[in-house]
Amino acid sequence: MKQIVTKNFLLIVLVLAVVFAFVKKATIFQKQPDPKPKPADTLSAAFTSYWFSGKAELNKYQLKQAKNGALNAGEAMLIFMSEDFRTDKQVKAESKDNALPVLKTTSSKKFSTGVYEYSLLTSVFTPINNPLFPNTLKVSLSDQEWDGHSYLQANYRNNGYQVSGKSYYEKEADENYTIAKAMFEDELWNRIRLNPDKLPTGEIQLIPGTMAARLRHKSLQPLAAKATLAEYEGVLFPGMYLKSYTIEYPTDDRTLIIIFEKLFPHKIVGWEETYDTKDNLLTSRAVLKKTSQLDYWNHKAPADSVLRNQLLSTL
């Protein structure tokens, strides 16, 4: 026995080391990747400090919206905030189960055409720097008009998007269809805030904006688009060191230009959207009037209306 141990000493030591490693879960075969990278570990200190501060960024815009062959006065809001989002149920997380941080855009438009009123709102949920979930997980739209209301939702599932909707319009009354995976135009606002240097350029496929689709009664489908990132040289929008991101849809005769600040946190100072309405080629425009950071969900008392008045007082 002693001779056997002596002759095979190195082999015995190696076997014992491997067994010990498995017991301690220290081998390369058992090391599991972190499914949820911590934002503080993967993002810059400036990004973490700004977007994980416990406050939302509220932006108020003066709006001219094309509809029914004319430009109509209104107001728009862009609200950005980080929050935990469940990847399975695709809703705001109230526990840590299947949750990861997302950047959420809530965009609203309110305008009237004569006596008739429109109110539209979208929410977009884009994971923050998570390699396991690189795609936007959910986009939803609600549309309230005096004639009735409608709702549209797209969920990322099975390497594509499941679209469902309800509307008071007969042709849109019950929608349920799937579309191929592509980037949403609606998520570009999040992509700008996350890292504008990574915006797609050149010939790309995009799913057009849900508000534009609903106002023109078009279904969601990926379309060919041309995207260009450049320095902004105009004078219509406020701010310094501005850049423009232009998306042209040649098959839809529609162009969107988003203007934002080159420097972090890449605030969006406005946008222009051109398309035909009632045989008139018109350009909608939103111009930033005021920005504030606020944990608005903690200010629901009547006395807190002073904060709302401060935000709205610029128009």
Side-chain angles (χ1 to χ4, degrees):
M1 183 67 180
K2 183 177 181 181
Q3 290 179 343
I4 295 175
V5 172
T6 302
K7 289 181 179 181
N8 299 280
F9 178 75
L10 292 178
L11 179 60
I12 294 172
V13 171
L14 180 60
V15 171
L16 290 174
V18 171
V19 172
F20 181 79
F22 268 94
V23 171
K24 294 297 185 180
K25 297 183 179 180
T27 71
I28 60 172
F29 305 105
Q30 291 181 299
K31 185 178 181 181
Q32 298 296 320
D34 185 357
K36 180 184 173 184
K38 297 179 177 62
D41 295 338
T42 57
L43 302 168
S44 69
F47 186 99
T48 302
S49 176
Y50 191 85
W51 290 114
F52 293 90
S53 64
K55 294 182 179 180
E57 182 194 87
L58 287 73
N59 302 278
K60 185 73 175 180
Y61 300 83
Q62 188 172 34
L63 176 68
K64 288 288 186 179
Q65 180 65 45
K67 182 65 177 173
N68 297 332
L71 289 174
N72 306 277
E75 58 187 43
M77 289 281 296
L78 282 180
I79 302 173
F80 295 94
M81 61 182 293
S82 65
E83 69 179 24
D84 287 339
F85 190 76
R86 289 194 60 147
T87 58
D88 52 353
K89 297 181 178 180
Q90 296 191 1
V91 294
K92 181 178 179 179
E94 297 180 357
S95 67
K96 295 300 181 182
D97 295 336
N98 299 303
L100 55 75
V102 299
L103 187 62
K104 179 177 75 172
T105 305
T106 297
S107 173
S108 69
K109 289 181 180 179
K110 293 184 179 182
F111 62 95
S112 59
T113 57
V115 72
Y116 193 96
E117 291 188 354
Y118 289 84
S119 178
L120 299 98
L121 186 144
T122 63
S123 291
V124 185
F125 304 84
T126 304
I128 298 175
N129 201 27
N130 193 309
L132 295 182
F133 296 92
N135 303 101
T136 286
L137 296 176
K138 180 179 178 180
V139 177
S140 61
L141 163 78
S142 62
D143 171 21
Q144 296 83 41
E145 307 171 20
W146 278 9
D147 279 348
H149 59 269
S150 60
Y151 184 79
L152 189 70
Q153 181 168 301
N155 294 87
Y156 183 71
R157 294 193 177 99
N158 300 321
N159 206 35
Y161 286 95
Q162 178 66 42
V163 180
S164 58
K166 298 287 186 180
S167 174
Y168 67 94
Y169 281 101
E170 182 178 356
K171 292 182 180 181
E172 304 163 352
D174 293 284
E175 296 179 294
N176 194 347
Y177 57 94
T178 58
I179 56 178
K181 180 178 68 175
M183 187 172 287
F184 273 86
E185 178 188 304
D186 288 338
E187 74 182 82
L188 293 175
W189 316 85
N190 277 342
R191 300 294 178 187
I192 289 172
R193 307 311 302 271
L194 290 170
N195 188 347
D197 292 334
K198 291 186 177 181
L199 288 169
T201 57
E203 304 295 330
I204 61 175
Q205 289 280 316
L206 275 181
I207 302 169
T210 51
M211 284 190 185
R214 181 55 66 184
L215 287 173
R216 298 186 299 158
H217 302 290
K218 295 193 173 187
S219 62
L220 297 182
Q221 293 294 338
L223 295 180
K226 180 181 179 181
T228 307
L229 184 62
E231 304 293 328
Y232 175 71
E233 298 179 352
V235 296
L236 295 176
F237 299 93
M240 298 178 61
Y241 309 111
L242 301 181
K243 303 201 76 171
S244 65
Y245 187 54
T246 302
I247 303 100
E248 301 172 88
Y249 296 94
T251 62
D252 197 31
D253 295 326
R254 178 171 164 265
T255 300
L256 172 67
I257 305 175
I258 306 173
I259 313 299
F260 63 93
E261 294 179 345
K262 179 179 180 178
L263 303 179
F264 183 83
H266 313 299
K267 187 188 307 177
I268 294 173
V269 299
W271 63 89
E272 293 182 336
E273 182 184 15
T274 302
Y275 57 80
D276 182 81
T277 169
K278 292 277 182 136
D279 296 325
N280 285 333
L281 190 65
L282 298 174
T283 298
S284 303
R285 180 180 294 117
V287 180
L288 180 65
K289 292 301 179 181
K290 192 166 186 178
T291 297
S292 63
Q293 284 186 289
L294 182 68
D295 55 338
Y296 63 84
W297 49 90
N298 291 325
H299 299 277
K300 300 178 180 179
D304 293 324
S305 60
V306 63
L307 298 174
R308 179 177 177 83
N309 292 335
Q310 290 172 1
L311 179 64
L312 303 183
S313 62
T314 57
L315 294 182

